[in-house]
Amino acid sequence: MQTKPNLFKQVFQKQIAFPSDHGSWVFLLSPLLIGIFTSRTWSSDILYLVLGLLAAFFLRQPAAVAVKAFAKRRSKQVLPSALFWMAGYSAIGLIAIVQLILRGYHTLLWLLIPGGAVFIWHLWLVSKRSERHRMGVDIIASGTLALAAPAAYWVSLGESSPLGWLMWILAWLQSAASIVYAFLRLSQRKLSESPIKSELLIIGRRALMYSGFNLFFSIALSFYTQLPDLIWLPYLLQFAETYRGVTVPAIGQKPTSIGFRQLVVSTIFTVLFILVWYL
């Protein structure tokens, strides 16, 4: 006697409902927290923004699973669960967007254009089996997540200040440097022994260039803009961590330990960024 499939188990699948790449959380939450706390004010409307951002962030996983199923990379049996969660997250996101528009935040609609374009591009890469281990794709994707910074800043402040765009650039620069550094650390795992320091600096030159540019750019901003005088301090932390990682390679380290350290450094960066804003 053949048993009927359990509908609950078919729909409520954790690996479909929630993001599988846990490291990407920080690229959303860091800009979001920076945007909220640097506004120095509070609006209850931020709850709608957070709800919409989380819905969009969660939508990527079931959408990717559905594309894989249609591209014959996954069994069609995952489609009911994928489509269910896609519909649910889309509905939540739509409600949040409508509520924000009704409250006068029309500028946020402009942020949907690059976000939607990158989302569609990601799904196209998924259909072509080309979405994994692509540094450039990850950097561009982190740029769309960094849009959470100006969005949160504007909603918390209650107006579309031009400073929000500068905050987006600062958040994206940090995310981009973190991604380049993470790729470097993961590649170092394959080394059989540590090269001499000059060779290590050559291997890690791209990571040093990214974090070094961030440091000098933030120093320049502290002189020529109304940004806090110590806005460069969190970027100094990032450069120091990058230099340490370049000169002390992660030979034989587990990806989880590398990711955890990245999470800790990004968390400290976010806290420092917010703190120097109030000094």
Side-chain angles (χ1 to χ4, degrees), residues 54-83:
L54 289 178
F57 183 75
F58 276 53
L59 176 62
R60 187 184 64 163
Q61 181 68 11
V65 171
V67 169
K68 288 179 181 179
F70 285 116
K72 299 181 179 180
R73 294 180 58 184
R74 295 282 297 270
S75 168
K76 290 291 181 68
Q77 293 179 350
V78 301
L79 274 177
S81 179
L83 295 176

Side-chain angles (χ1 to χ4, degrees), residues 28-50 53 100 105 107-108 111 145-171 226-228 231 273-274 277-278:
L28 171 67
L29 295 181
S30 178
L32 177 61
L33 293 173
I34 286 173
I36 292 174
F37 286 100
T38 55
S39 67
R40 302 193 183 194
T41 184
W42 168 260
S43 169
S44 58
D45 295 339
I46 196 67
L47 298 177
Y48 289 111
L49 178 67
V50 172
L53 288 173
L100 288 169
Y105 300 105
T107 309
L108 298 180
L111 304 184
L145 294 177
L147 289 170
Y153 186 76
W154 293 336
V155 173
S156 297
L157 195 64
E159 61 181 31
S160 301
S161 168
L163 186 59
W165 292 114
L166 186 55
M167 201 169 295
W168 167 59
I169 294 173
L170 289 170
Q226 293 183 345
L227 291 179
I231 194 64
F273 193 104
I274 294 170
W277 203 270
Y278 285 85

Side-chain angles (χ1 to χ4, degrees), residues 104-116:
Y105 300 105
H106 304 93
T107 309
L108 298 180
L109 293 174
W110 290 104
L111 304 184
L112 295 177
I113 298 175

Side-chain angles (χ1 to χ4, degrees), residues 166 170 173 212-233 235:
L166 186 55
L170 289 170
L173 288 175
F213 173 82
N214 291 357
L215 177 58
F216 286 111
F217 181 66
S218 60
I219 291 174
L221 288 177
S222 69
F223 279 104
Y224 298 107
T225 68
Q226 293 183 345
L227 291 179
D229 293 338
L230 296 178
I231 194 64
W232 50 266
L233 190 59
Y235 295 96

Side-chain angles (χ1 to χ4, degrees), residues 3-17 65 74-85:
T3 58
K4 294 182 179 181
N6 189 312
L7 182 60
F8 181 85
K9 290 184 177 180
Q10 275 189 321
V11 173
F12 293 92
Q13 298 185 43
K14 181 179 178 181
Q15 69 275 18
I16 297 177
V65 171
R74 295 282 297 270
S75 168
K76 290 291 181 68
Q77 293 179 350
V78 301
L79 274 177
S81 179
L83 295 176
F84 171 83
W85 290 108

